Amino acid sequence: MVMKKSLQCLFWVGLLGGLLLPCQTLAAEVSFQSDTIIRGFERNTVTQTDAGVVPVYEYLQVDAGTLDEPGLAFHLYGWGRLDLADNGYFTDETAGELLYGYLEYSQAQARFNARLGRQSIFEGVANEVVDGLRLSSDLGRYFSGSVYAGQPAALAEENGRDGDSIFGGRLANHVAGYYDLGVSYKKIRSDSSDAEELAGVDLSLYLPAAVTLSGFSSYNLDSEDFAEHSYQANLKLGPVSLRPFVQFFQYDDYFGTATSPSPFSFLAGTGEELTIYGADFTLPAQEAWLLTAKAKHYDYEVLDDSSNFVSAQVSWSGAGLTQVGGELGYMNSDVAQIDYVLVRLFGYCDQVKEILPVDFVSGDLVYVGYDQKIYNDDSSLFVSLGVGKTYLDNSLKLKLSGDYSSDPYFDNDLRGMLTASYLFDRSL
Amino acid sequence: MMRKHIWTALTLTLLLLGLAACAALDSGLDLPLRHLSADDLGEQPTTCTNCHEARGEKLAFGNFNHTATWGQDHRQQAYQQEAVCSMCHQTSFCNDCHATRVELKPSLKNQTDTKRQMPHRGDYLTRHRIDGQVDPTSCFRCHGNPKAAQTCARCHG
């Protein structure tokens, strides 16, 4: 309850700050985007059969300040949900999350950047949302660095926030056209106890003949062994792009970083080692056509088993964003003991204004056939159709879609969704 | 314990001072804060090498081409060059897939954007039973933290 109040307080303070900030800065802009999503479908609940469920989602984004130039800016993004039917489908009638809300100062010299508030940090071994401070800068011509410290937002509901902390950073050395090399570190404490400590190294090596070798390794400092190695090469053979890759995971060290009991916790005690290798292959043809193929092999050390996935996709692109395509995939899974074949057809056309009263139409069909029955069903069929139109000089976009699913979990499931996106953008 | 905190604070302070001092030096990349938008260019700037050298003086632009498999393999570029991503994308764009906690899966929130290779298209509720056993590391990357794992907790506890 206290946390919810704090979040609400932060949200409104942030919103107020965002609205006031342009008054204090020069060449300021304010941008406001609202995405309202209304869904409708039926579900069986504890008390009702085929009860209507009508959740309304509001995604709100506010950006203010010098957005396209160095200076001071404020950014906020969050979502909230209200169940209009309120018939017990959702555990909570309302839900929501402040995804980020921070003040940012940046300057052109050395690309110095400072952020204060709730923010996503995605660099090196960090994939975190932090309530705190992050500073980054180029450090001369060949180095750059960043540091951050604060509280991890993901632990906010785990026994309160007392004793929760996170800090880390990344130091990089780069010579444009030759290589980028980074070392990173992250430590999380939960309820005053050490919860996660990772170190990592990442590398991109630009070799002759347009070959790039890149990847990273992460080391679990608690378990004192490597959690992950992921490396790939990018090659161009004439018009063909090829990306061979190899990944290696040690479950005890990879999943041993979980900061609280989770559905993945049991994996940390299995001693399993997973090796994945394969390649992506992309061939453009006649500008409009694109052929993509992928092959992945999974090898399990403890289970002494393996799985394979192969897929091929072809797509055609027309004027604007028009695209149609299809995909065929096959999973041969020894570890799950169920194989499947996946067929997907998709299309999007924004060249329909002359024949239809909408700006675009879209369609999607996904069929999956399983070699063994799951809940007495051996296939899934999903079909989605959508249309959209813009109004008010592209400030308002309405999108309507309906989808049907027949699968092991739902016999004949019909769902509808209406999205209203409104963008307000103004220089002050 | 107190001594450890003091060392941590001291190290961070030194790092901050070092950063502040070095911020006055030259920049190696010298990239702009924002890239020209699709409206400015008349096309979506998704293929960097249409205008830039694959091995440019500032950046290996060829590595940032949004190819057909970009949706599944942009992790390395984001890990190393988050500032390049932010030249075109607000964090909210990334949050469709990478967020502390969202209720709508990426392909559902963007149901009509069939041209984008969003993960979990179609009936993923059934398919995740198999994909999750084949490679749980890919699930953990997004659903590993306690808030994001709430999506899993409804069935998996």
Side-chain angles (χ1 to χ4, degrees):
Chain A
M1 184 60 77
V2 174
M3 186 52 59
K4 270 191 176 176
K5 277 188 176 175
S6 304
L7 268 177
Q8 284 173 355
C9 185
L10 186 62
F11 184 86
W12 289 114
V13 168
L15 188 61
L16 188 63
L19 294 173
L20 289 176
L21 190 64
C23 305
Q24 301 166 350
T25 55
L26 296 173
E29 296 170 60
V30 63
S31 168
F32 165 95
Q33 170 142 3
S34 159
D35 293 299
T36 307
I37 299 171
I38 305 172
R39 300 186 66 212
F41 49 91
E42 289 182 340
R43 288 289 178 271
N44 293 337
T45 65
V46 177
T47 55
Q48 295 181 60
T49 302
D50 294 336
V53 185
V54 189
V56 179
Y57 293 86
E58 172 63 25
Y59 286 75
L60 180 68
Q61 180 178 345
V62 179
D63 298 282
T66 53
L67 302 179
D68 295 329
E69 294 170 12
L72 194 61
F74 175 79
H75 307 277
L76 181 141
Y77 186 52
W79 63 273
R81 186 259 297 146
L82 174 69
D83 181 13
L84 294 181
D86 189 21
N87 53 23
Y89 172 71
F90 291 101
T91 312
D92 300 312
E93 187 188 343
T94 60
E97 187 77 24
L98 175 67
L99 297 176
Y100 61 78
Y102 60 92
L103 272 172
E104 179 178 43
Y105 173 73
S106 55
Q107 65 177 45
Q109 188 175 28
R111 296 192 304 156
F112 177 77
N113 182 277
R115 296 175 188 171
L116 179 65
R118 175 166 292 190
Q119 57 195 292
S120 293
I121 294 177
F122 195 71
E123 58 183 5
V125 289
N127 177 12
E128 304 290 337
V129 176
V130 173
D131 292 328
L133 175 69
R134 175 186 181 269
L135 300 171
S136 66
S137 172
D138 282 348
L139 307 172
R141 192 168 181 76
Y142 301 110
F143 290 88
S144 60
S146 66
V147 288
Y148 57 86
Q151 288 191 306
L155 299 181
E157 287 161 21
E158 302 291 304
N159 301 320
R161 308 199 74 176
D162 285 348
D164 294 351
S165 66
I166 180 171
F167 70 90
R170 178 173 177 267
L171 181 67
N173 170 222
H174 43 77
V175 177
Y178 292 93
Y179 70 88
D180 288 301
L181 173 66
V183 289
S184 55
Y185 172 81
K186 174 181 76 173
K187 179 161 186 173
I188 298 177
R189 284 172 62 81
S190 175
D191 301 325
S192 301
S193 300
D194 290 349
E196 188 176 328
E197 191 172 17
L198 286 176
V201 58
D202 53 79
L203 172 72
S204 287
L205 198 56
Y206 309 113
L207 301 172
V211 176
T212 300
L213 188 66
S214 59
F216 60 89
S217 297
S218 64
Y219 187 84
N220 188 330
L221 289 156
D222 289 331
S223 60
E224 297 184 336
D225 209 341
F226 281 98
E228 174 182 6
H229 299 290
S230 290
Y231 289 87
Q232 63 182 39
N234 292 78
L235 307 101
K236 281 285 265 186
L237 303 171
V240 178
S241 298
L242 192 64
R243 187 180 71 94
F245 56 83
V246 61
Q247 295 178 290
F248 176 72
F249 300 91
Q250 298 196 105
Y251 281 18
D252 289 2
D253 311 288
Y254 187 83
F255 295 108
T257 61
T259 42
S260 67
S262 77
F264 303 95
S265 299
F266 77 98
L267 291 164
T270 59
E272 186 60 272
E273 294 175 5
L274 169 63
T275 305
I276 305 171
Y277 55 87
D280 293 339
F281 159 97
T282 307
L283 171 64
Q286 297 176 346
E287 293 197 0
W289 291 91
L290 187 70
L291 178 67
T292 308
K294 177 185 283 186
K296 257 182 160 181
H297 176 79
Y298 304 83
D299 192 74
Y300 312 91
E301 178 71 20
V302 173
L303 284 173
D304 193 20
D305 230 331
S306 64
S307 300
N308 295 287
F309 180 73
V310 289
S311 76
Q313 180 177 307
V314 61
S315 64
W316 176 86
S317 298
L321 297 172
T322 297
Q323 191 182 68
V324 291
E327 179 184 359
L328 181 64
Y330 174 61
M331 172 70 84
N332 166 232
S333 170
D334 289 342
V335 66
Q337 298 183 323
I338 298 178
D339 299 348
Y340 68 73
V341 174
L342 180 149
V343 180
R344 182 181 174 221
L345 300 172
F346 58 92
Y348 182 94
C349 183
D350 59 359
Q351 308 294 311
V352 293
K353 290 176 189 170
E354 291 180 3
I355 51 174
L356 292 170
V358 292
D359 290 345
F360 75 82
V361 294
S362 69
D364 205 4
L365 183 150
V366 184
Y367 171 84
V368 182
Y370 305 99
D371 77 327
Q372 292 180 41
K373 287 187 175 179
I374 300 172
Y375 295 139
N376 295 318
D377 212 340
D378 61 2
S379 67
S380 296
L381 175 66
F382 170 85
V383 181
S384 173
L385 293 170
V387 293
K389 190 169 176 61
T390 54
Y391 301 89
L392 305 175
D393 197 21
N394 291 334
S395 291
L396 177 66
K397 182 181 277 188
L398 295 181
K399 293 185 281 191
L400 179 67
S401 64
D403 54 74
Y404 166 84
S405 189
S406 175
D407 55 66
Y409 286 90
F410 301 103
D411 289 336
N412 291 294
D413 194 34
L414 279 169
R415 297 170 290 218
M417 187 163 93
L418 174 67
T419 303
S421 300
Y422 179 71
L423 174 66
F424 172 84
D425 199 344
R426 179 173 291 178
S427 296
L428 299 173
Chain B
M1 183 60 78
M2 181 56 73
R3 179 176 288 185
K4 199 173 178 183
H5 284 308
I6 290 170
W7 276 113
T8 303
L10 195 61
T11 307
L12 276 173
T13 308
L14 283 172
L15 272 169
L16 292 177
L17 287 172
L19 268 175
C22 293
L25 299 174
D26 279 347
S27 169
L29 298 178
D30 195 25
L31 294 165
L33 195 64
R34 297 277 181 271
H35 192 278
L36 292 172
S37 69
D39 289 340
D40 296 328
L41 295 168
E43 63 171 319
Q44 292 283 344
T46 51
T47 306
C48 309
T49 49
N50 282 349
C51 299
H52 303 280
E53 293 283 327
R55 294 279 171 84
E57 285 182 13
K58 296 178 179 177
L59 196 68
F61 289 98
N63 275 25
F64 292 85
N65 281 344
H66 289 27
T67 59
T69 56
W70 177 257
Q72 293 104 55
D73 65 21
H74 59 275
R75 188 159 63 125
Q76 175 74 18
Q77 285 84 345
Y79 273 155
Q80 289 196 307
Q81 300 283 5
E82 179 261 352
V84 176
C85 304
S86 65
M87 283 165 58
C88 296
H89 299 292
Q90 298 264 23
T91 313
S92 58
F93 179 85
C94 314
N95 282 157
D96 279 352
C97 300
H98 309 286
T100 337
R101 178 178 161 232
V102 286
E103 265 187 7
L104 297 175
K105 64 177 182 172
S107 60
L108 180 56
K109 179 169 181 278
N110 302 279
Q111 185 80 285
T112 58
D113 284 353
T114 52
K115 60 190 181 299
R116 291 172 66 188
Q117 302 292 317
M118 306 296 280
H120 306 347
R121 280 268 175 212
D123 165 37
Y124 200 72
L125 188 60
T126 307
R127 214 154 74 243
H128 94 283
R129 295 163 59 107
I130 301 164
D131 290 354
Q133 289 184 65
V134 170
D135 182 11
T137 65
S138 66
C139 307
F140 184 75
R141 219 166 278 144
C142 293
H143 295 280
N145 79 64
K147 274 199 176 181
Q150 286 179 18
T151 318
C152 320
R154 195 162 181 167
C155 299
H156 295 278

